[in-house]
Amino acid sequence: MSLIVQKFGGTSVADAERIARCAGRAVRAKESGKQVVVVVSARGHRTDELIDLAKSVCDNPPPREMSMLLATGEQESIALMAMAIHQLGHEAVSQTGGQIGLVTESVFTKAKIKSIDASRVRKELDKGRIVIVAGFQGVTETGEITTLGRGASDTTAVALASVLGAEVCEIYTDVDGVYTADPRVVPKARKIRQISYTEMLEMASLGAGVMHNRSIMFGMKYKVPIHVRSSFTDTPGTMITEEQAMMENIVVTGATVAKHLARFILLGVPHRPGMAAKVFEALTRKNIIVDDIVQSAFQPGNAQMTFTVSKDDRNATQVALDELNAEIGFEKIIVDESIAKVSVVGVGMRSHSGVAERMFRALSSAGINIEMITTSEIKISTLIAEAEADKALRVVHEAFELDKEPANGH
Ligand code: ADP
Ligand code: ASP
Ligand code: MG
């Protein structure tokens, strides 16, 4: 029997009426003869509210307790969704991350999935039930509750779809697909019909909040098609699939903006082997994920190192560097929190030239200064002032005419 996973995001399950609507979708899929697994997020702004509440009782909440608290948001949703399905005359059973054997590393608040015990979900499905799973959470090998990072219910859904061999993982959200840029910032953004895992992974990692980036890694590895679509309409959304030959014809597929970044500039780093390793070892020990790294040395014995981290990790990064500074002795540590990153992504960049020039020219004609540039095979990123981020995204979107449907593509 074919199996599908349907994931409903926060806005889609914000109130009773919306929960009932999503329950209806799950029931329709079940009645069409499929086995159905539903993954849900916390309702509306529940996670943000819980974070604010935590911060109002403690300046620096212990990550273990933070995961314990945030996991309750999803737990509320699974029970309500199971009840709504019951109301429609079908059998459903709610399951926490721990109950489906979703085991993670023992890092609280940004844990990575280690394994999922597919047999537990299968046993429930075989009883003819719709299984409702709490997104965003798991347990460590010793049974501690962990959470997988903001927006990570997508990852629970795609990981489950992977281990269960689902025919598709449907991501129901408040937009009707993946757009060429965040439609809230760029009103002219266009819905992309089909996008490759590699491009979507880059876009998600570079700020396209519509999908959690690790979910795409699961989809790519296990070749699960992901359908991003609206929970409010029946319009087909965006298919995230393997790359197809025609995709290379399109130079730029999408543009993104990432805010909430902090840039660290280390001046006067002793220019000798092992320094970069020391700096990043210190950050890894604190589970800090480092974004772009640039190092250059143009004075003898003296190097400059720049990297970006999420603003959430700003304090932990500062502490790690201060500890290291006592040992190494940098000349200066500068922190800049007023930056943002605007990027363009597309597999077509592999075979087309002039993309960087077009992007830089567009930014310069809008009077936007570029602080730092980083590239990979399929993306170009620029660090700019945060105050100009949205304008920069619109300018770049316009420069690559992303609002126009490509003649031969997605
Ligand atoms: P959910 O709660 O359903 O997981 P999210 O808020 O996490 O929903 O993701 C949906 C939002 O992602 C949209 O409302 C949109 O503003 C934002 N977004 C950012 N970049 C994009 C993009 N390229 N395409 C579509 N939506 C995007
Ligand atoms: N509720 C979690 C969050 O808001 C997970 C998710 O929505 O995907 O980050
Ligand atoms: Mg989301």
Side-chain angles (χ1 to χ4, degrees):
M1 191 187 282
S2 64
L3 185 156
I4 67 164
V5 174
Q6 298 185 325
K7 179 255 169 179
F8 299 103
T11 318
S12 309
V13 293
D15 56 32
E17 190 202 323
R18 289 182 183 184
I19 292 173
R21 188 183 307 163
C22 295
R25 272 195 198 273
V27 163
R28 280 207 301 281
K30 179 83 176 40
E31 286 174 346
S32 76
K34 296 181 203 303
Q35 290 189 315
V36 182
V37 176
V38 171
V39 174
V40 277
S41 296
R43 292 184 305 122
H45 298 291
R46 194 85 186 113
T47 310
D48 290 328
E49 285 160 18
L50 290 170
I51 292 172
D52 288 347
L53 199 56
K55 289 189 173 152
S56 66
V57 297
C58 179
D59 291 337
N60 194 11
R64 179 189 183 278
E65 305 312 329
M66 201 60 158
S67 284
M68 182 68 92
L69 178 70
L70 297 190
T72 63
E74 270 67 16
Q75 199 170 329
E76 197 178 73
S77 301
I78 51 171
L80 291 166
M81 182 63 78
M83 291 175 196
I85 290 174
H86 185 82
Q87 178 70 20
L88 297 174
H90 278 259
E91 250 198 273
V93 60
S94 62
Q95 301 271 294
T96 64
Q99 284 174 313
I100 58 152
L102 191 155
V103 175
T104 72
E105 291 173 347
S106 53
V107 179
F108 296 99
T109 72
K110 44 184 172 179
K112 290 202 178 109
I113 300 177
K114 281 174 94 171
S115 59
I116 301 179
D117 181 358
S119 68
R120 300 213 206 166
V121 176
R122 280 224 176 84
K123 211 162 80 196
E124 295 298 340
L125 289 170
D126 290 344
K127 289 180 196 158
R129 295 175 169 166
I130 296 175
V131 182
I132 320 291
V133 177
F136 173 61
Q137 56 172 267
V139 288
T140 65
E141 251 132 27
T142 56
E144 298 276 6
I145 293 176
T146 52
T147 45
L148 314 179
R150 295 306 310 268
S153 290
D154 298 331
T155 300
T156 305
V158 183
L160 257 176
S162 303
V163 297
L164 293 167
E167 66 183 65
V168 64
C169 182
E170 295 182 327
I171 304 287
Y172 287 95
T173 183
D174 59 1
V175 263
D176 62 357
V178 177
Y179 277 64
T180 47
D182 187 341
R184 283 191 216 170
V185 183
V186 184
K188 282 171 84 179
R190 174 181 52 82
K191 185 164 83 185
I192 302 167
R193 268 179 283 148
Q194 193 178 4
I195 185 170
S196 66
Y197 293 120
T198 22
E199 288 169 317
M200 193 63 234
L201 178 58
E202 281 284 8
M203 281 183 67
S205 304
L206 293 168
V210 61
M211 289 298 292
H212 189 246
N213 63 351
R214 282 210 299 279
S215 68
I216 311 299
M217 295 183 197
F218 277 100
M220 181 150 49
K221 186 162 172 201
Y222 296 95
K223 301 191 182 0
V224 182
I226 303 169
H227 186 180
V228 183
R229 54 190 304 190
S230 165
S231 67
F232 303 104
T233 67
D234 285 328
T235 332
T238 301
M239 289 306 300
I240 309 174
T241 63
E242 286 190 276
E243 192 176 325
Q244 281 155 32
M246 56 83 177
M247 289 179 180
E248 277 222 25
N249 298 334
I250 296 146
V251 187
V252 168
T253 301
T256 60
V257 60
K259 299 174 186 170
H260 211 65
L261 293 172
R263 173 166 65 147
F264 282 80
I265 304 167
L266 311 184
L267 299 179
V269 181
H271 188 36
R272 53 172 194 265
M275 281 301 116
K278 265 198 168 88
V279 170
F280 294 105
E281 242 166 45
L283 301 178
T284 307
R285 264 201 305 276
K286 293 197 188 300
N287 294 305
I288 295 162
I289 296 167
V290 179
D291 201 9
D292 296 316
I293 304 171
V294 176
Q295 178 181 303
S296 56
F298 40 85
Q299 282 165 354
N302 204 325
Q304 175 182 319
M305 200 181 281
T306 306
F307 59 86
T308 49
V309 295
S310 157
K311 255 184 204 164
D312 295 339
D313 285 332
R314 184 220 182 277
N315 291 345
T317 305
Q318 183 80 59
V319 171
L321 292 176
D322 287 344
E323 284 166 10
L324 201 62
N325 202 8
E327 181 197 330
I328 296 181
F330 311 119
E331 229 162 64
K332 204 169 181 188
I333 302 175
I334 301 168
V335 193
D336 177 6
E337 290 190 83
S338 60
I339 44 139
K341 182 155 76 169
V342 169
S343 313
V344 291
V345 173
V347 289
M349 276 182 219
R350 292 189 200 120
S351 46
H352 292 77
S353 59
V355 184
E357 187 250 320
R358 195 155 156 194
M359 179 174 185
F360 303 156
R361 192 152 28 83
L363 291 172
S364 82
S365 347
I368 297 167
N369 220 2
I370 304 172
E371 305 276 337
M372 195 163 116
I373 298 167
T374 49
T375 62
S376 83
E377 199 188 22
I378 65 158
K379 68 118 185 182
I380 299 167
S381 294
T382 53
L383 223 56
I384 55 159
E386 190 173 16
E388 297 188 305
D390 290 352
K391 176 175 151 198
L393 185 67
R394 286 190 286 269
V395 160
V396 166
H397 194 272
E398 191 72 40
F400 288 97
E401 300 182 330
L402 297 183
D403 56 316
K404 302 210 172 83
E405 191 81 38
N408 45 4
H410 36 177

